[in-house]
Each structure stands twice: as C-alpha cells, then as structure tokens.
Amino acid sequence: MSSELGLLVGVPLLGVSLGLIKRFRSFIVIFISSITLFLSFRAYISKDGFETVGGWLVPLGIGLRLDTLSANFILMTALVCFFVSIYSLSFFKKSSGFFWVFFFSVWTGLNGFFLSEDFFNLYVALEVLSLAGVSLVASAKTSKAIKASIDYLFISLMASLMYLMSVGVIYLKAGTLSISDFLSKNSPFFEYAMGLIAISVAIKCALFPFHFWLVPAHASALSPASAILSALLVKPPAYLIARLIIEFNTGYLQIVLSALGAIAIAFGSIMAMRQQTIKTLLAYSTVAQIGYIFLILPLFEFENLKDDAVKALSLHAFTHALAKASMFLASGNSIYVSNSDEISLMPDFASRHPLTFFGIFFSGASLMGLPTSGGFIAKFLILKGSIESGLYYIGIAAILGGLLAGLYIYPLWKECFEKSERKPKGYIPIWMELSAFSLGLLSFAGGVFGF
Amino acid sequence: MNLYLYLGVLIACIGIFGLLAFRSLGKRLISANILSSGVFIYLIAGGVGDPVPQALVLTGLVVSVSATALAVALISLNYEQ
C-alpha cells in the first residue's frame, strides 16, 4: 500500500470542493463516499501501515500511522458518514446549502486525526473539525442554532488553543512533535503537558463539568448534522487521550478522568430521562456514553488488562457511534412526519414505518448493552477488567449506566406502539428509513463481528 | 527570553478569563484572539532561532484568522435575527 493512507484523507478532501457543484450532486456524493468506505475497509483489514506525506521523512514531514485502534475508528467514521450521506441526499429536498462542504470537511478532519502521528497535525485536524462542526450546527439557520453554534465555537476555540499550548510545552521540552518519539522519552515534566491535554480533551468531549455546550448545539442542528456531531465529533479527543494513556501512565490523572466519566454516566442518563424532545434526550445520552471512554482509562495501567481495555474502548466507541447516528437519523424521520420532535409525536411507527422502528429498536438495545450487541461485549469486558483490577466502581458505573440507558430508551420504544388519532403524513423516503435501519442493525451486529 | 515565556502564559490566562467571564459576544471574540496571541508569544519565545515553532505559529495564525472570520459571520447573523 503505497499511498493509501494519504488517500483516506485526500478523497474526502476532494469532496469538499466537488460538493459545491449542484449538477450530478447525488452521483458525486455517492461516488466519493463509496470510495472512502472501500479504502476504510481495506485499512481495517490491513490494520498496519506507516507512511510519510509527500515522501518527506518524519522530523520534517508528517507521518501517518495505522494500527488496530485507529483502523477501528476509521471504519466507524466511514460507516457512519456513508449512511448519513445516503440519508442526506433524500433529506435535503431542494437546497442543501453548504452541507456537503462541511460534511466532507468533517470526514477529512476525522480521517486525518485518526491517522496522524504528529501532535501539531492533530491540532490542525482538531481545528478543521471544530470549524466544520460549528458550521454544521449553524446551517440549521434558526436563531437557537446560531446562538448554540457561537457558544460551541468559543468553547472549542478555547480548548484548541489550550491544546496548542500543550503542544508548545511538548515541543520545547521534548524537542519533537512525533507521538511515538514523545512517548519513548519519559520525563516527569510531561505530566503537565498531559494535564493540559486532558483539560482541553475534556472540554472538547463534553466530559461532565464541561458538558454545557453540547446539548444545545447537538439538539438544534438538523438531524443528519446532529448524527455526525453526536456520533463522531466527540470521539477524536477521547481517542487522543486513550492513545496517549495506553503508552504513558499518569496515575492520578486517569483516576480523576475516570471519576468524572462515572459522574457523567449518572448525570447524563438522569438528565436524558427528564427530556421531552427526542433530540435533547439523545444529546444527554451522548454526554453519558462519552463517560464510558474516560471511565475505563485506569484499566490501562494494568499490563494484563490492557488488551481487553483497548478492545472494550474501540468496541464501545464503534457501537455508540453507529447507534447514536441511527437514533438521530430516526429522529429525523419522526420530525419529517410530524414536524416536531416531541417524543409523544412518533406514534405507531412500529406498524407504519417498521424500518425506522427497528432502527430505533436495535440501536436502543446496543446503547443499553443487551446481549450480543457491541455494547454488551464492551460492558462485559469493562466489568471483567474492573473485577480483576479491584477498581469496583468502574463495574458498578458501567452496569448502572446500562440500566439507566434502558430507562431513557424505553419511552422511545413505547411511543412507537402508541395508536394516534392524528393523521400523520404517511410517507418517508425509503433511503432515509433504510440508512437509519442499517446503522442500527450494524451497531447491534457489531458484537457478533467484533470477535 | 524567559520573561516573554511568562508574559505569553499571562496573556493566555487573561484571554481564558475573558472568554469565561463575559457574556457579550464581541468581548468574547476579542478574548479568544488575546488567548491565541498569548499562545503564539509563548511558542515564539520558547523556540528562538528554531524554525519549527515559527512554522507552527504561522499555521496557527491562519487557523485563528479563519476562526475569527467564522465567528464574526455568526455573530452578525445572530444580530440580524
């Protein structure tokens, strides 16, 4: 594979400019999405690779590295983006504005982030992601969405600049920007840099005390945009901190992040139960689910548990991304029919729109962690790790999170069976239903194929 | 040169304070720019004679300009509505 890793970034980048062309738009979008999906599958199968962009060697050029963890995240991105692109072609009836530009920018930024071997390149990818994410929120054009996007922009600018500061600290102390070089030089001063990275990551991921920006931003965007934001845009910072902590133990920092993760699970789930609209419910559920990634960080300290913890992390991120995207697409279908996102306004989906209902069913089951879903195996591995390491609170938080998820998913399932007197518009484009269904099914099947 | 390192950190802290303390969108935008200037001063002061931090700051400036442009566009949209 000579330059396939570069293509993973380059092909979606092509989509950023080609997405502006109005003619043959469906063809262009499907063509670029399928090629990137194909490349991501190949990357997932090979799971190994290193190349330098343009042939410049590492201290000068940019290194791209593919390993098991990043291959998993690349495939997750590709699956979610592929189905969201199919969904959006039907969702935007007349004008999609600049949606496709931001959509492909996000895809480019995510692939670039997961492949980067270089701290500064990560900063650039992070900025691409936050600017594209902010624009995705603002493209809903309602005054609520614009207010939310301004808050989101300032918060993520602050977090990115704090990250840049830590990159500065790393370069001035270690004299390198490459991640593997940094990890091989073990100096006590790096803990400060790690602390600074951890704060910016926590803000970007909306970890518990910093969750305030996420809910208005994710809930006020258009449904396909919310799916991208909630499923994918919270993952890269968590991936970064996990990747650093796998190699570099920081003791107390892992415990603090993990405790915040546990609080996030409880808080997010309880807030999700109290919501009246689907999208705020799903946004709070994201706050809860992102907690798991931080919850398991202390397990990386134990050599014998490391492999299981990495597997649990990637499986959980994968399942959550697909399930949450499916849920948001299904919420888009419900809004399409009823013009409102109240939970009580998705009646009779079980018989009228069975594909959407099964999408909601499978993705809800994966979020709860019912057996054979990807979420189940991730929770099982977390539980096993927590018992073997003696950190019992991790297992308790994981189980409690599953139970609470059941409580906030249940109203969605229940409403699908309610009979309604109102005569809703009966028709949802088949591609919108199919993509919500496929993502839900894949997230549920992830547990079977994950091993 | 050490003085500039501390000054950079101080300016960055002022920017963070401004971002968190003000509700006015214009003031927060200026605070974000002050924060980025602080970070850039820190990087430049730390790596005198080293081209890498200077390249980082150049890229950072481009990012910061585009972020500012996006923020201005969003803020003016917000006032119109």
Side-chain angles (χ1 to χ4, degrees), chain A residues 242 245 254 257-258 261-262 265 291-301 308-314 316 378 381-383 391 393-394 398:
Chain A
I245 280 178
Q254 277 147 281
L257 288 175
S258 150
I265 292 174
Y292 283 98
I293 294 180
F294 291 91
L295 182 70
I296 58 179
L297 290 179
L299 297 181
F300 290 126
E301 252 180 272
D308 276 356
V310 172
K311 214 173 256 176
L313 177 108
S314 32
H316 178 265
L381 287 173
I382 294 173
L383 203 59
L391 295 165
Y393 78 96
I394 293 180

Side-chain angles (χ1 to χ4, degrees), chain A residues 120 123 127 131 134-135 138 141-143 146-147 149-151 153-154 157-158 161 164-165 168-169 171-172 177, chain B residues 9 19-20 25 28-29 32 35-36 39-40 42-43 46-47 50 52-53 56 59 63 67 70-71 74-75 78 81:
Chain A
F120 188 70
Y123 165 73
E127 283 290 22
L131 295 187
V134 167
S135 318
K141 286 182 189 144
T142 58
S143 98
I146 286 170
K147 283 207 176 66
S149 72
I150 293 173
D151 276 346
L153 176 62
F154 283 135
L157 261 184
M158 188 172 91
L161 286 165
L164 183 60
M165 194 80 164
V169 173
Y171 184 75
L172 299 183
L177 286 171
Chain B
V9 175
L19 266 175
L20 297 176
L25 296 176
R28 290 173 79 189
L29 178 58
L35 168 58
S36 58
V39 174
F40 297 152
Y42 175 83
L43 279 172
D50 185 350
V52 174
L56 302 192
T59 319
V63 171
L70 179 62
L74 288 176
I75 290 172
N78 185 41
Q81 287 192 342

Side-chain angles (χ1 to χ4, degrees), chain A residues 268-275 278 281-286 288-289 320 323-324 326-328 343 346 357-370 379 401-417:
Chain A
S269 309
I270 289 169
M271 286 305 283
M273 271 186 257
R274 301 170 50 180
Q275 302 306 311
I278 307 173
L281 186 156
L282 293 176
Y284 272 113
S285 151
T286 302
Q289 298 287 328
H320 170 246
K324 193 48 66 69
S326 162
M327 280 282 192
F328 266 114
I343 291 174
M346 46 194 299
F357 166 68
F358 275 110
I360 294 175
F361 176 76
F362 282 130
S363 49
S366 328
L367 286 180
M368 285 180 212
L370 293 187
K379 284 200 180 69
L403 284 176
L404 290 171
L407 288 177
Y408 64 73
I409 297 291
Y410 171 70
L412 295 180
W413 287 359
K414 195 188 81 175
E415 283 307 325
C416 288
F417 286 102

Side-chain angles (χ1 to χ4, degrees), chain A residues 46-57:
Chain A
S46 75
K47 279 192 181 131
D48 181 37
F50 181 80
E51 71 180 51
T52 50
V53 176
W56 299 93
L57 293 179

Side-chain angles (χ1 to χ4, degrees), chain A residues 275-437:
Chain A
Q275 302 306 311
Q276 298 301 315
T277 58
I278 307 173
K279 293 182 94 172
T280 49
L281 186 156
L282 293 176
Y284 272 113
S285 151
T286 302
V287 173
Q289 298 287 328
I290 207 72
Y292 283 98
I293 294 180
F294 291 91
L295 182 70
I296 58 179
L297 290 179
L299 297 181
F300 290 126
E301 252 180 272
F302 303 89
E303 276 306 319
N304 54 333
L305 299 176
K306 211 175 243 181
D307 287 345
D308 276 356
V310 172
K311 214 173 256 176
L313 177 108
S314 32
L315 208 52
H316 178 265
F318 192 88
T319 312
H320 170 246
L322 268 60
K324 193 48 66 69
S326 162
M327 280 282 192
F328 266 114
L329 296 186
S331 85
N333 288 350
S334 134
I335 293 168
Y336 190 91
V337 175
S338 61
N339 287 323
S340 152
D341 68 345
E342 305 279 317
I343 291 174
S344 53
L345 285 178
M346 46 194 299
D348 224 1
F349 264 46
S351 64
R352 279 213 188 89
H353 307 289
L355 278 177
T356 306
F357 166 68
F358 275 110
I360 294 175
F361 176 76
F362 282 130
S363 49
S366 328
L367 286 180
M368 285 180 212
L370 293 187
T372 79
S373 73
F376 170 74
I377 292 173
K379 284 200 180 69
F380 177 79
L381 287 173
I382 294 173
L383 203 59
K384 185 167 156 255
S386 118
I387 291 167
E388 281 174 20
S389 65
L391 295 165
Y392 294 116
Y393 78 96
I394 293 180
I396 295 171
I399 293 181
L400 194 72
L403 284 176
L404 290 171
L407 288 177
Y408 64 73
I409 297 291
Y410 171 70
L412 295 180
W413 287 359
K414 195 188 81 175
E415 283 307 325
C416 288
F417 286 102
E418 298 281 309
K419 293 274 175 277
S420 77
E421 305 81 48
R422 284 168 25 119
K423 193 118 176 103
K425 277 194 296 178
Y427 172 74
I428 300 175
I430 183 74
W431 293 111
M432 288 169 69
E433 290 215 70
L434 263 182
S435 37
F437 171 74

